[in-house]
Amino acid sequence: MLYVKELYKSYEAGKNKYQVLKGIDFHVAKGEFVAVMGPSGSGKTTLLNCISCYIPFDRGNIRLGGMELAGMNEEALARVRNTKIGFVFQDFMLLDGLNIRENILVPRIVQGEVGAEAQRLADQLAAMFGIGHILEKYPAEISGGEKQRAAVARSLINNPLIILADEPTGNLDSKSGRAVIETFNNAKEQMNATIFMVTHDSFAASFCDRVILLKDGTIYRQLEKEESRSGFQDQLLDVLKEMSR
């Protein structure tokens, strides 16, 4: 589904050049829920921005569903972002002037495809994620957890190849954060959704199938969940502690 090969990214500040990603290699299979963790400055958000092509990378290959993203023009990339990639942000990014149903439908509105099928799918997603009762409300009238579940529904309205989530529980309390992660799991189990999530939260990451740990722009380790969720979280915490030494 997603293949990242020998990915390098650097930034320049004055005469100085800082290498942020140093030859990153990994893949994400269809229907897999994968997290990326690592200390501040390890390259997590840069990696996510390179995959979505919001920032250019120095060299390497990013292939999504058989499409090579490097070299696409802006029009083609915009089409990929709207139809093939779903985005979930830490700050929800809901539009205050639209109700929740309309917010879920935004990617279809952009395409001019808000027909009966899109409306049915929006209702189905809202019901699946426990927010059917707030579809006529506006973002200012609902909780942070409800906003993020609406954002997850929006990310799925176009049946994307992959969802890219950037710290989706970062602004939520533990109860709301768990509800959002369970929403991702529902999407994975009921829609075979593929999810790639950047997070600092070991609890959220412990729900994933696999966690990629970054340190200083390289992959330090990859851990697969082979035990209980709590056991996997303990394993993650041990490795994160090891990385900080």
Side-chain angles (χ1 to χ4, degrees), residues 162-176:
I162 195 168
I163 295 172
L164 302 180
D166 188 9
E167 299 282 6
T169 62
N171 283 340
L172 303 175
D173 59 44
S174 58
K175 181 179 179 181
S176 297

Side-chain angles (χ1 to χ4, degrees), residues 62 71 81 95 102 121 131 149 168 225:
I62 300 175
R81 292 188 197 110
L95 299 175
E102 292 164 340
L121 180 55
I131 55 171
R149 281 181 278 162
K225 183 161 64 178

Side-chain angles (χ1 to χ4, degrees), residues 50-69:
C50 286
I51 292 169
S52 61
C53 292
Y54 278 119
I55 60 173
F57 47 93
D58 298 343
R59 65 183 190 274
N61 298 95
I62 300 175
R63 191 153 45 96
L64 177 64
M67 299 177 294
E68 182 61 54
L69 300 187

Side-chain angles (χ1 to χ4, degrees), residues 1-3 26-35 48 51 63-65 84-88 129 152 155-156 159-165 183-198 208-210:
M1 176 57 66
L2 173 67
Y3 293 87
F26 67 89
H27 77 279
V28 179
K30 174 67 176 172
E32 193 175 17
F33 188 3
V34 176
L48 203 67
I51 292 169
R63 191 153 45 96
L64 177 64
K84 305 299 183 184
I85 302 175
F87 294 95
V88 179
F129 301 153
V152 177
S155 76
L156 287 160
N159 296 306
L161 294 175
I162 195 168
I163 295 172
L164 302 180
T183 297
F184 281 128
N185 269 335
N186 287 343
K188 167 185 156 62
E189 291 168 6
Q190 298 186 42
M191 303 179 68
N192 201 29
T194 307
I195 304 152
F196 187 72
M197 174 178 73
V198 165
C208 295
D209 302 309
R210 179 161 51 99

